[in-house]
Amino acid sequence: MTIHNPDRLAHTVIVGGGIIGLAIGWEASRRGHQVTLIDPAPASGATQAAAGMLAPVSEFHYQEESLLDLTLPSARAYRDFITELEAASGIGTGYQRRQTLVAGIDAADRQALTDLRSAQSSLGLQVEVLTTSQARRREPLLGPQLSGAFLVPEDHQVDPRAMAVALQAALAKQTTARTVPVSVSALIHDDATDRVAVTGVLLKNGERIDADEIILANGLGAVNIDRLPTGLRLPLRPVYGDILRLRVPEHLRPLITSTVRGLVRGSSIYVVPRQDGTVVIGATQRENGSAGLSAGGVYELLRDAQTLIPAVAELELLEALCRPRPGTPDNAPLLGRCRDPDGSEVRGLVVATGFFRHGVLLAPITARLCADLISQKIPEIDIERFRPDRFSNPGHFAEASRPHASRHNSFPDEVRIAL
């Protein structure tokens, strides 16, 4: 059975209904595209576990300077993005322009954060040094072991779960948009030999949907789709993380007024306050293939959070969960169009995956860039360095064209997270 485009509007199929896919769908529909978003369970993956820190400065890692070309403009775009989204959906997103306080526990932590600040400052990023007294005036419940602190005034937060609900509601109000709760099994090409243009998708229920543009925004699931363009290698790897949600009792509210990020004897920790009186604590990071919640990971999060803010011991544990995030060898997203082995551009396909820890932060800019691409506009930012085929080369063409061939590649060690 074939589902045909019912009108003459340009038809875009978005595969994946997480924060990225939903944001792209909303932006594309606002620009007049007919949108079909395909996902059996929208916003049920990494979106559920995301803390929602909009933190291009405190999330800066060594050797990832190029990401600032995406993270900084996306952070700046958030206020208008959220204003328009909340107006369109009538639903709050938990967006808060709270500053971020970064704290170190021992002398080594303080030195590591001081070194990181030097790198941040050299790139023009704003990080202010606080005395421990100044930090305690801002956050009185910080622990007694605090040895150093910094303020990042432009790092804010949003509630990803609320934002996903708002995006779904806003998208549902668009008369040219719909959601199909099925998985995609394969891409459809106009020529089975050359595969130089993608013209639709085949669903797992046997139906096909024809479209002018296909956007792969389904995270790790992108490598499971059959008949990717010849030679396209999507080296995605699952990076698992445990995250906790806790309720703050009335007598301790507010536990904190800023997002507090800490370095506790070399281990990173963050505590993010929500408007509903809960906090999010995270997150561990492992690549051992284990999708289950780690008892050791939960213990370490609670231990380090209590060292940072001792009153955490009095909170009510509401939820502990684990989700994988799609990582790439250089920790940068796979974003844009790709080329066929002969150098020609594959028409009708845009890739938007591999966002690792920046999916929520990069949602506004990714939505705009993808909408530019499908509208045949030059993107507002040069995304050549983020091309989805940057890890492909002629030696991989034959292997990568087979279904799932990119799933078992080995990757270099990940750049160590500085904070």
Side-chain angles (χ1 to χ4, degrees), residues 58 69 79 99 113 122-123 175 196 202 224 259 321 327 348 375 400 403:
S58 53
D69 291 343
R79 176 184 283 184
Q99 300 173 328
L113 294 176
S122 71
L123 295 167
T175 58
V196 293
L202 180 66
N224 296 324
T259 294
L321 73 161
S375 300

Side-chain angles (χ1 to χ4, degrees), residues 63 96 103 107 111 120 197 238 276 299 309 355 363 365 367 380 391 394:
Q63 300 179 21
Q96 302 179 69
Q111 187 59 55
Q120 292 164 326
D276 62 359
Y299 164 74
I309 307 170
F355 290 89
I365 198 68
E380 60 187 270
F391 299 105

Side-chain angles (χ1 to χ4, degrees), residues 284-353:
T284 61
Q285 186 168 294
R286 61 180 182 276
E287 301 186 40
N288 60 2
S290 174
L293 190 67
S294 165
V298 172
Y299 164 74
E300 291 170 3
L301 289 175
L302 290 173
R303 177 198 65 197
D304 292 344
Q306 288 178 58
T307 299
L308 191 64
I309 307 170
V312 164
E314 300 183 46
L315 308 190
E316 176 188 355
L317 181 61
L318 299 177
E319 181 183 51
L321 73 161
C322 175
R323 289 289 191 276
R325 293 163 292 183
T328 64
D330 58 5
N331 294 335
L334 306 176
L335 180 60
R337 296 194 185 274
C338 58
R339 298 186 182 92
D340 203 57
D342 65 5
S344 60
E345 190 172 83
V346 176
R347 300 186 302 277
L349 179 67
V350 174
V351 178
T353 184

Side-chain angles (χ1 to χ4, degrees), residues 241-387:
D242 307 303
I243 196 164
L244 312 176
R245 296 176 188 274
L246 303 92
R247 178 178 290 116
V248 181
E250 290 290 342
H251 71 279
L252 286 176
R253 296 185 186 181
L255 181 76
I256 49 177
T257 58
S258 307
T259 294
V260 176
R261 300 175 66 96
L263 202 58
V264 180
R265 300 180 183 89
S267 296
S268 299
I269 186 78
Y270 57 73
V271 184
V272 183
R274 293 279 193 253
Q275 293 174 329
D276 62 359
T278 63
V279 296
V280 177
I281 297 176
T284 61
Q285 186 168 294
R286 61 180 182 276
E287 301 186 40
N288 60 2
S290 174
L293 190 67
S294 165
V298 172
Y299 164 74
E300 291 170 3
L301 289 175
L302 290 173
R303 177 198 65 197
D304 292 344
Q306 288 178 58
T307 299
L308 191 64
I309 307 170
V312 164
E314 300 183 46
L315 308 190
E316 176 188 355
L317 181 61
L318 299 177
E319 181 183 51
L321 73 161
C322 175
R323 289 289 191 276
R325 293 163 292 183
T328 64
D330 58 5
N331 294 335
L334 306 176
L335 180 60
R337 296 194 185 274
C338 58
R339 298 186 182 92
D340 203 57
D342 65 5
S344 60
E345 190 172 83
V346 176
R347 300 186 302 277
L349 179 67
V350 174
V351 178
T353 184
F355 290 89
F356 190 21
R357 60 185 181 273
H358 296 301
V360 177
L361 170 59
L362 291 178
I365 198 68
T366 300
R368 281 159 43 177
L369 291 169
C370 288
D372 285 345
L373 288 171
I374 64 175
S375 300
Q376 309 305 316
K377 292 177 57 179
I378 297 175
E380 60 187 270
I381 295 171
D382 183 4
I383 56 174
E384 183 70 19
R385 73 188 72 182
F386 305 114
R387 290 187 67 97

